[in-house]
Amino acid sequence: MKQPLIHFILCWIVLSALSALQAQDLKNIKADRFFSGSLTKVLDELAKEHSLKFSFDREALAKMPVDDRPFNESLDVFLNNLCKPHKLKYALHEGTIYVMQKTSNLEQVLRTQVGKVDTKTNLPTRTNLTVTGKVRDAQTGEALPFSTVGIKGTTQGVSTNADGYFVLQKVPSDTATLIANFIGYREAVVRLLPNLPTDNISIDLAPTTNELTAVTLSGEREDMMSTQRTDISVVRLTPKTLERLPNVGEKDIMRSFQLMPGISASNESSSGLYVRGGTPDQNLIVYDGFTVYHVDHLYGFFSAFNANALKDVQLHKGGFESRFGGRLASVTEITGKDGNQKQFNVGGDLSLLSFNVFAEMPIGDKFSSVFAFRRSYKSPLYQSLFKRFNENDQNNSQNNTQNTPFAQNTTQARSYFYDLNGKLTYRFSNNHSLAWSIYNGTDKLDNGYKVETPSFLASRGISLDFGINDLTNYGNLGSSLKWTQRWSPKFYGSALVSYSNYYSNRDRSNNGTITSSNGEQRTIKFGTLEDNNLKDYSLKTDYQWDYLPNNQLQFGNMHTNYDIKYTYSQNDTTTVIDKDDKGYTSSVYLQNRTKLFNNRLQFVAGLRANYFNITDQWYYEPRFSATYNVTKRLTLKGAWGNYYQFANRIVREDILAGSRDFWLLSNGTNIPVSNSQHYIAGLAYETPQYLFSVEGYHKDLSGLSEYSLRFTPSSQGIKYDENFYNGTGFAQGIEFLAQKKGGKVNGWVGYTLGKVRHKFDVYSKDFFPAQNDVTHEFKAVGIYQHKRFDASITWIYATGRPYTAPSGAYNISLLDGTTESYFSISDKNSLRLPHYHRLDVAFNYRLFSKGNDIGYIGLSLFNLYNRTNVWYKQFEIIENSIVTTNINYLGITPNLTLSLKLR
Amino acid sequence: MFIVFLLALLLGLCSCEQNNLSPTFQDLPVVEGYLKEGESISFKISRQVATDVSANYSPDNLSALNPELTEDDTAIRLTAKGGGVYEASQLVQAGKAYKLSFRYNQKLVTANTTIPTKPENYKQSVASIKAFTFGGGAGGGIPDFPDPVKLTWDNPNNSYYVVVIENTEATPEAINTGNSSPPARIFRNQPTQGNSYEIRVMQFNYYGKHNLKLYHINPDYAVLYSSGGSTSQNLFSPATNINNGVGIFTGMAGKVLELSVTK
């Protein structure tokens, strides 16, 4: 295993073992000659000349040059002079001079001297003790949530909580060695010492990006200690390392998840996750505690999350715990960065799609902040993606009755997306903090055009504003305020208030405004206007109590008020739909985690109870999961759970002509509360280098809703029938994962065999393939690293998705002599699109300055062999036959990224 | 238990299912009938185009379906004109109910409609309008930028109306000659439940006489504009008022005004 650099734990050198050195002695030792070479060389020479005992990281200091001529200078001054330019410091402890980073402290350094501690003087003084502490990023001081801490040589281990705290009970002795892991970071080995405290110890992990090593993405955190394989169906990643994977224009957490088995990767036009046969709206997305309702940028080609602002992302693919509720399929838990707690940092990325800047600013040691901003610009890549959607869109536009001689004077409106993340954290003490997080992301997609006022008209005081509107404006605004308190090392709690707003406006109309010279103004507007506005006000508390050595109790409550408006109007006069749903859910949960048989068996039993005021009913969600370590390498897993969903995203049939989706609350009648039961079983076999995992799932679904808006004639006029079709379904599948976890070449292959069937009486008495049904999906990811270079390759293969095709078609002549084509349909989703596959590659060259990683230059090639993958099919009647045209996804798409940061 | 569960899943997932079945074609007749008040009766019956080129069509002869049409339950004699077109010399009358029935593919196909009343108080704001061209004013001067033509009518019941504007010149002269292909001589608004419509001068493509037809229509016709999709993402069955068939059989009553577009 490769050794870490900056943590100073690998190459501890004992150069001599003389009598204990005193601080006063340093003043008496004089340096009086020319020193040149590396710092390692200079310290070696000093040790030899003065019989001193130094402890330092040999490899790191070897890169630090020294060129100095002290004149009879005392050694304490000379050492300071040597350390200062390299941001180092030294400390004297029990006769040894420790040279370490300025940001490190001696206690941590001492703890990391595994194998170098004199066991004679470090005999255990306490046994069966409790150790508490926090796992942090060594560079920034940020807490690392959900990292694992275990005891070397035992099967004992725990995960840190959302704020990085851990409680490790029944630790055999105060000389035990702890091992801490976190994806994207080097493993840290920490020694307990009898003369040092066992409460509130800090374990600092060094990021691997600085060292060009290690795996970036792991299934179920299985690349960590095998004894910590306690989670079921969890995929996690750290955004820090995403840059190594290929991308279209942005490193993207959601796209990266799609490379793991069980998460569909063949839908380029949705960043939302299709997890185990679920739809994106069945995936709960929690960002710093608030729910995010929409994750797409630019028609779904990118997700709305800026990787530079994120610290950790976990995806629970199923069987998730009682602390989460309100969704049927899965949970994506996103934790934003707190910001560098040690020093100011700034950085940014420039790609062919967007620019991205971030800044981290600590004030003192109690306050930290981070801000990140990203915005697309009118690059060829953006335009090409935008046009891809809108060329198709124009094919579908109907009833464009406007006809203008001003076409030559038209201007294309601007389209863009942006997002902003901010977080301020104040730590009152080690056990008490307050954090405010805000996120805002918006897409403005304008496919309309406007006619400019010709100058000769403007000079006469006449202004002309005429054009076709096709404006989509959607986004999220979310914010949370979280109070965290560690009442005691074993009792931790947090309270959170949050607000989340999803807004989506679609103006697809023709309008004309004419202002004559006498100031008279007339406006006409034809077309459709849609407005969906969802507001979620939530209050949440979570507690964690390690009340017994092998038992942890988690409990809490959540109250969410929903206010969801949706209006659909035509010609800015006729309101077709005007909904204003208000309701709330109140939930409480309780779950217990128990470890038995020397930690070989762990089971979690929980219950979540939800009250939904619209139906005036309680909904109970019992959940159970267990893992059993058969051997040190083989683990069996199982989970069962009941899940309800109260807010539903309705996907419009005509995604091009209207808002793609909108949210509605269940009403207990024609929009029932949907329900799902998960059954999961699996096994995993892990060696230090490899992980092999098989997991099967079956989900029963009920209360599913599909929506259609039908315009039907009636004696009173056109009736707008909002049809909510209700149905049931099931999803099942089996996932295989083989992963090489480390080394110069690492990566994984995954395969999923899946099936999703729905049954809606309105379509068929039998089950039919759901739109997101993918039978076979294979993924292979390879990452190669060599010094400054890294390269990655991904290949995805998936069975084509089902679609409904017309069984027949006919033309009708309208009153103005034009002909309109109409299609009859029959069997739902009876056909499948061609198989989807593509190969992506990426190359990065890392940039270093004074030994520090300061960024990279990256080239990414999406769809390298330019596979024509079909997005959907378009139908036309030409010469009395139905002609089908394929509308395709992206062909080969290159992207260049330059990423720089101060530290 | 784990292994049994995983094996059971595998078996369930591997069970054979037929994929890529051709959609089942239902041979329903297409009716296209606009019964316009004051005009003779004419409608057309045709077949759908099947996606599956090997689909079977009914052997019915479209021109010999012997459809029955009644006006307020009184039979109307129809003449087959070939190509599925049927006509009657009788003029359509406002307020009367018409019922169509015939057998096709061994099923009884029916449709009915009532002719709306003629538009009332249909007026135009101007009888002529000066065309708008860039730099095309007399003597090279700046052209006027006239007010739009405002059409108004009574509509106390929020009925549906549609306006169709058609150039009626035998050899119409285009206003702007820069277009690569000749612009349409006819245009319309979308069906409206309002009582007015403004035609902007820019909408006219030709000089000369134009008919401004206002049709009082049934919702059956208006719904055609909100019906159906054309991609695999948005297909749904279009609305129709034909039982055991598709298409439209609807009545309407119109009035015509004239407008001149001048240079």
Side-chain angles (χ1 to χ4, degrees):
Chain A
M1 193 185 100
K2 197 169 175 183
Q3 306 292 333
L5 279 175
I6 64 165
H7 207 210
F8 292 77
I9 65 171
L10 299 177
C11 189
W12 293 98
I13 307 299
V14 177
L15 294 168
S16 64
L18 300 175
S19 58
L21 188 69
Q22 301 298 316
Q24 189 56 39
D25 298 338
L26 293 182
K27 294 192 182 298
N28 298 332
I29 299 170
K30 304 292 181 192
D32 189 15
R33 70 173 179 85
F34 187 75
F35 289 90
S36 181
S38 71
L39 194 49
T40 297
K41 178 172 171 272
V42 171
L43 293 181
D44 282 351
E45 288 169 5
L46 284 173
K48 198 173 175 185
E49 288 168 18
H50 305 286
S51 300
L52 298 171
K53 185 169 144 187
F54 279 100
S55 182
F56 59 90
D57 184 325
R58 202 170 179 81
E59 196 179 334
L61 269 60
K63 294 174 186 167
M64 299 177 184
V66 173
D67 197 4
D68 203 352
R69 171 66 172 94
F71 291 94
N72 205 26
E73 211 163 69
S74 64
L75 191 59
D76 57 339
V77 175
F78 182 51
L79 283 176
N80 268 331
N81 290 343
L82 287 176
C83 289
K84 202 174 173 184
H86 303 293
K87 293 178 183 166
L88 300 174
K89 65 180 181 184
Y90 78 92
L92 184 64
H93 180 76
E94 294 182 352
T96 303
I97 302 165
Y98 293 87
V99 179
M100 67 196 109
Q101 275 196 326
K102 238 180 185 168
T103 50
S104 301
N105 67 52
L106 184 61
E107 181 186 324
Q108 289 167 334
V109 172
L110 291 175
R111 288 190 191 282
T112 54
Q113 295 182 85
V114 180
K116 301 294 178 191
V117 176
D118 181 358
T119 50
K120 283 180 189 168
T121 57
N122 286 286
L123 292 171
T125 58
R126 284 176 292 166
T127 56
N128 200 18
L129 66 154
T130 298
V131 176
T132 64
K134 195 172 188 178
V135 179
R136 307 184 308 177
D137 181 308
Q139 259 193 328
T140 64
E142 286 213 46
L144 297 179
F146 314 114
S147 48
T148 56
V149 183
I151 303 166
K152 192 178 179 186
T154 73
T155 54
Q156 259 180 284
V158 290
S159 291
T160 60
N161 68 15
D163 292 304
Y165 291 111
F166 68 90
V167 179
L168 199 51
Q169 305 202 56
K170 290 177 89 172
V171 178
S173 75
D174 57 5
T175 56
T177 300
L178 308 186
I179 297 176
N181 278 287
F182 190 65
I183 299 285
Y185 286 77
R186 309 303 309 268
E187 182 178 274
V189 182
V190 174
R191 172 103 188 200
L192 299 179
L193 295 170
N195 53 348
L196 292 175
T198 51
D199 284 341
N200 291 322
I201 69 170
S202 287
I203 302 180
D204 287 359
L205 304 189
T208 55
T209 45
N210 292 0
E211 302 161 47
L212 310 171
T213 54
V215 191
T216 58
L217 184 64
S218 157
E220 307 177 359
R221 301 146 61 175
E222 310 267 19
D223 61 334
M224 304 180 191
M225 291 185 299
S226 57
T227 50
Q228 294 304 310
R229 209 184 299 116
T230 52
D231 291 318
I232 300 168
S233 304
V234 176
V235 183
R236 68 175 311 157
L237 60 84
T238 173
K240 200 180 265 293
T241 49
L242 283 189
E243 61 214 26
R244 292 200 177 117
L245 294 171
N247 62 68
V248 188
E250 284 286 329
K251 51 191 174 191
D252 196 318
I253 54 169
M254 301 309 234
R255 292 276 172 221
S256 304
F257 273 137
Q258 293 176 1
L259 296 170
M260 293 303 280
I263 306 153
S264 181
S266 59
N267 198 338
E268 286 175 28
S269 56
S270 170
S271 289
L273 297 179
Y274 292 85
V275 182
R276 291 185 173 172
T279 49
D281 67 309
Q282 293 172 2
N283 175 32
L284 173 67
I285 297 169
V286 187
Y287 180 97
D288 276 344
F290 60 85
T291 305
V292 179
Y293 289 86
H294 191 87
V295 300
D296 288 347
H297 266 327
L298 189 57
Y299 300 111
F301 282 110
F302 309 98
S303 78
F305 301 110
N306 182 348
N308 282 346
L310 308 181
K311 181 160 63 175
D312 176 71
V313 192
Q314 283 201 95
L315 173 63
H316 303 257
K317 293 195 285 184
F320 48 90
E321 295 176 1
S322 299
R323 65 192 171 102
F324 299 112
R327 291 293 186 277
L328 292 187
S330 52
V331 177
T332 308
E333 190 179 16
I334 302 169
T335 310
K337 279 182 185 172
D338 297 330
N340 196 318
Q341 293 171 19
K342 297 183 175 175
Q343 49 198 331
F344 175 75
N345 192 16
V346 66
D349 304 333
L350 179 67
S351 73
L352 293 184
L353 183 80
S354 66
F355 67 88
N356 190 336
V357 290
F358 72 90
E360 298 171 271
M361 190 169 58
I363 299 176
D365 56 358
K366 292 194 168 179
F367 177 83
S368 61
S369 62
V370 61
F371 293 95
F373 178 75
R374 177 171 66 160
R375 192 188 190 283
S376 67
Y377 62 92
K378 206 171 176 177
S379 67
L381 179 57
Y382 184 96
Q383 293 298 93
S384 124
L385 296 173
F386 184 76
K387 275 183 189 163
R388 177 161 294 271
F389 224 101
N390 289 296
E391 277 165 9
N392 304 326
D393 198 3
Q394 281 161 2
N395 291 337
N396 286 278
S397 62
Q398 295 176 358
N399 304 326
N400 180 6
T401 58
Q402 297 297 339
N403 195 349
T404 169
F406 299 144
Q408 63 271 32
N409 278 48
T410 59
T411 55
Q412 183 77 43
R414 286 194 310 169
S415 296
Y416 58 85
F417 67 77
Y418 76 85
D419 49 54
L420 172 74
N421 301 66
K423 195 169 180 180
L424 308 178
T425 308
Y426 186 79
R427 289 167 295 282
F428 297 94
S429 69
N430 270 344
N431 300 322
H432 179 192
S433 67
L434 185 67
W436 175 63
S437 175
I438 186 164
Y439 164 74
N440 177 220
T442 293
D443 274 65
K444 188 186 170 202
L445 300 166
D446 197 335
N447 195 36
Y449 67 83
K450 287 188 174 179
V451 175
E452 293 171 337
T453 306
S455 55
F456 67 90
L457 286 180
S459 65
R460 296 180 60 197
I462 297 171
S463 72
L464 186 68
D465 179 9
F466 170 77
I468 307 287
N469 291 330
D470 187 356
L471 177 66
T472 306
N473 197 33
Y474 65 82
N476 294 285
L477 172 65
S479 185
S480 66
L481 187 66
K482 185 180 177 186
W483 174 280
T484 304
Q485 176 92 41
R486 204 163 64 125
W487 306 95
S488 79
K490 293 183 184 176
F491 188 62
Y492 161 90
S494 68
L496 180 136
V497 284
S498 68
Y499 168 74
S500 182
N501 174 215
Y502 163 60
Y503 45 90
S504 170
N505 305 300
R506 173 90 181 196
D507 178 350
R508 189 180 169 83
S509 64
N510 310 322
N511 72 338
T513 303
I514 299 166
T515 308
S516 59
S517 51
N518 62 11
E520 193 186 338
Q521 200 169 61
R522 286 178 294 278
T523 305
I524 309 159
K525 206 161 194 174
F526 300 104
T528 58
L529 301 155
E530 287 169 90
D531 189 3
N532 186 203
N533 200 307
L534 180 154
K535 287 176 182 163
D536 160 329
Y537 306 88
S538 292
L539 178 66
K540 188 163 73 164
T541 60
D542 293 289
Y543 297 97
Q544 184 178 308
W545 181 29
D546 294 82
Y547 65 100
L548 282 173
N550 287 319
N551 280 276
Q552 183 188 69
L553 195 65
Q554 285 177 286
F555 56 95
N557 75 306
M558 183 168 183
H559 180 90
T560 300
N561 260 45
Y562 297 101
D563 181 357
I564 308 180
K565 291 187 173 72
Y566 177 67
T567 56
Y568 177 99
S569 50
Q570 286 192 315
N571 303 349
D572 70 0
T573 50
T574 313
T575 301
V576 177
I577 305 171
D578 188 4
K579 284 183 180 298
D580 188 359
D581 293 343
K582 287 187 172 69
Y584 67 83
T585 55
S586 273
S587 311
V588 290
Y589 73 90
L590 178 73
Q591 79 172 28
N592 193 68
R593 185 183 301 273
T594 306
K595 292 177 181 176
L596 294 172
F597 309 127
N598 197 22
N599 297 309
R600 290 176 75 170
L601 174 67
Q602 171 178 284
F603 67 86
V604 180
L607 176 69
R608 188 180 180 93
N610 311 281
Y611 174 75
F612 184 43
N613 78 313
I614 303 287
T615 57
D616 192 21
Q617 276 186 36
W618 282 91
Y619 298 85
Y620 297 98
E621 300 173 310
R623 296 170 193 177
F624 181 84
S625 66
T627 57
Y628 181 69
N629 295 324
V630 182
T631 67
K632 276 190 174 178
R633 293 185 167 182
L634 181 66
T635 302
L636 298 179
K637 310 166 181 191
W640 170 80
N642 192 33
Y643 302 86
Y644 286 100
Q645 183 157 344
F646 307 97
N648 305 275
R649 188 183 71 147
I650 304 297
V651 179
R652 287 280 306 270
E653 293 157 316
D654 187 352
I655 67 154
L656 299 172
S659 287
R660 302 181 65 188
D661 49 53
F662 57 94
W663 285 82
L664 289 178
L665 265 189
S666 294
N667 56 18
T669 53
N670 60 349
I671 316 174
V673 173
S674 42
N675 174 250
S676 153
Q677 298 231 357
H678 295 193
Y679 305 87
I680 298 168
L683 52 94
Y685 182 82
E686 187 175 29
T687 69
Q689 277 291 307
Y690 295 95
L691 167 73
F692 303 94
S693 164
V694 183
E695 216 167 278
Y697 62 88
H698 176 92
K699 290 195 282 191
D700 287 321
L701 305 159
S702 63
L704 300 176
S705 295
E706 279 200 9
Y707 174 88
S708 76
L709 180 65
R710 292 285 181 272
F711 301 88
T712 52
S714 75
S715 54
Q716 285 79 40
I718 294 177
K719 202 172 142 208
Y720 304 102
D721 285 337
E722 284 187 86
N723 298 312
F724 289 93
Y725 304 135
N726 301 135
T728 58
F730 68 88
Q732 59 187 31
I734 189 158
E735 301 165 1
F736 300 87
L737 176 72
Q739 183 179 15
K740 182 172 181 292
K741 298 185 294 177
K744 271 193 169 181
V745 178
N746 58 65
W748 63 92
V749 289
Y751 168 72
T752 310
L753 177 64
K755 183 191 263 187
V756 195
R757 296 290 181 271
H758 286 172
K759 192 166 92 169
F760 284 72
D761 289 340
V762 67
Y763 299 126
S764 159
K765 296 228 177 307
D766 300 319
F767 283 99
F768 60 86
Q771 203 145 17
N772 52 324
D773 176 55
V774 178
T775 311
H776 305 283
E777 191 152 310
F778 177 85
K779 294 151 188 175
V781 177
I783 300 163
Y784 172 74
Q785 297 151 49
H786 180 68
K787 294 184 178 170
R788 287 168 175 255
F789 288 95
D790 55 68
S792 62
I793 183 164
T794 62
W795 188 67
I796 295 162
Y797 168 88
T799 310
R801 288 169 183 273
Y803 72 96
T804 304
S807 58
Y810 56 95
N811 286 327
I812 294 285
S813 296
L814 301 177
L815 286 177
D816 59 353
T818 57
T819 301
E820 195 70 47
S821 297
Y822 297 91
F823 297 91
S824 304
I825 59 165
S826 57
D827 311 302
K828 176 94 170 168
N829 291 343
S830 64
L831 294 174
R832 283 196 182 258
L833 296 174
H835 300 316
Y836 179 100
H837 55 92
R838 68 162 212 265
L839 182 80
D840 305 338
V841 294
F843 307 93
N844 288 333
Y845 179 76
R846 301 211 70 82
L847 306 171
F848 283 82
S849 170
K850 295 179 184 172
N852 291 326
D853 174 23
I854 57 156
Y856 67 95
I857 298 169
L859 168 68
S860 192
L861 293 162
F862 179 87
N863 195 0
L864 183 69
Y865 56 78
N866 204 22
R867 159 74 178 174
T868 304
N869 287 310
V870 178
W871 178 2
Y872 62 90
K873 289 181 177 267
Q874 187 160 317
F875 309 105
E876 292 172 275
I877 305 177
I878 296 176
E879 293 183 353
N880 218 28
S881 62
I882 298 174
V883 175
T884 304
T885 311
N886 289 337
I887 307 298
N888 301 320
Y889 277 131
L890 290 179
I892 183 169
T893 309
N895 183 39
L896 272 174
T897 304
L898 170 66
S899 177
L900 290 172
K901 58 183 179 178
L902 194 61
R903 309 188 159 84
Chain B
M1 189 184 79
F2 290 87
I3 306 298
V4 172
F5 178 79
L6 293 175
L7 286 177
L9 269 178
L10 260 181
L11 283 174
L13 288 162
C14 293
S15 59
C16 290
E17 278 186 38
Q18 279 187 297
N19 270 334
N20 273 3
L21 299 169
S22 285
T24 314
F25 175 63
Q26 271 191 295
D27 186 14
L28 300 175
V30 182
V31 177
E32 183 183 314
Y34 299 123
L35 304 187
K36 295 177 181 170
E37 188 274 336
E39 297 183 19
S40 56
I41 292 167
S42 176
F43 61 89
K44 183 183 172 184
I45 301 170
S46 58
R47 295 180 199 276
Q48 290 190 83
V49 180
T51 306
D52 182 359
V53 288
S54 61
N56 291 322
Y57 288 90
S58 88
D60 296 308
N61 180 353
L62 291 176
S63 296
L65 292 171
N66 298 319
E68 292 177 6
L69 182 69
T70 61
E71 180 190 80
D72 283 351
D73 297 329
T74 306
I76 295 173
R77 186 191 167 110
L78 293 168
T79 308
K81 291 291 182 181
V85 176
Y86 295 87
E87 289 182 357
S89 55
Q90 193 167 331
L91 300 182
V92 175
Q93 296 183 55
K96 300 264 185 183
Y98 294 81
K99 289 182 182 170
L100 172 69
S101 64
F102 61 93
R103 290 197 74 80
Y104 180 88
N105 200 11
Q106 301 175 335
K107 284 181 184 166
L108 181 65
V109 183
T110 60
N112 58 71
T113 186
T114 302
I115 312 302
T117 55
K118 280 173 86 77
E120 291 188 4
N121 214 8
Y122 179 40
K123 290 176 184 168
Q124 64 198 109
S125 57
V126 288
S128 73
I129 190 167
K130 197 168 180 181
F132 182 90
T133 56
F134 287 107
I142 298 168
D144 285 332
F145 193 70
D147 290 346
V149 181
K150 184 162 187 178
L151 306 177
T152 54
W153 57 91
D154 290 348
N155 186 12
N157 304 320
N158 290 329
S159 295
Y160 284 92
Y161 288 83
V162 67
V163 178
V164 177
I165 300 105
E166 184 178 16
N167 183 284
T168 55
E169 296 289 340
T171 51
E173 181 188 350
I175 294 170
N176 279 289
T177 53
N179 298 303
S180 54
S181 57
R185 290 179 60 183
I186 187 166
F187 58 95
R188 58 161 172 83
N189 70 335
Q190 290 191 56
T192 175
Q193 287 179 282
N195 60 359
S196 67
Y197 177 58
E198 287 188 353
I199 315 166
R200 293 187 304 282
V201 64
M202 301 88 78
Q203 291 180 269
F204 292 99
N205 292 314
Y206 293 96
Y207 295 111
K209 284 187 177 171
H210 287 73
N211 276 348
L212 312 176
K213 293 182 190 170
L214 175 70
Y215 289 107
H216 185 186
I217 56 171
N218 285 313
D220 305 329
Y221 180 76
V223 82
L224 282 181
Y225 290 90
S226 307
S227 206
S230 63
T231 78
S232 58
Q233 290 180 317
N234 64 9
L235 273 189
F236 58 88
S237 292
T240 182
N241 67 339
I242 315 294
N243 299 313
N244 287 329
V246 294
I248 179 89
F249 181 74
T250 189
M252 56 191 64
K255 271 191 180 174
V256 182
L257 295 173
E258 284 192 353
L259 178 86
S260 183
V261 179
T262 61
K263 291 187 178 178

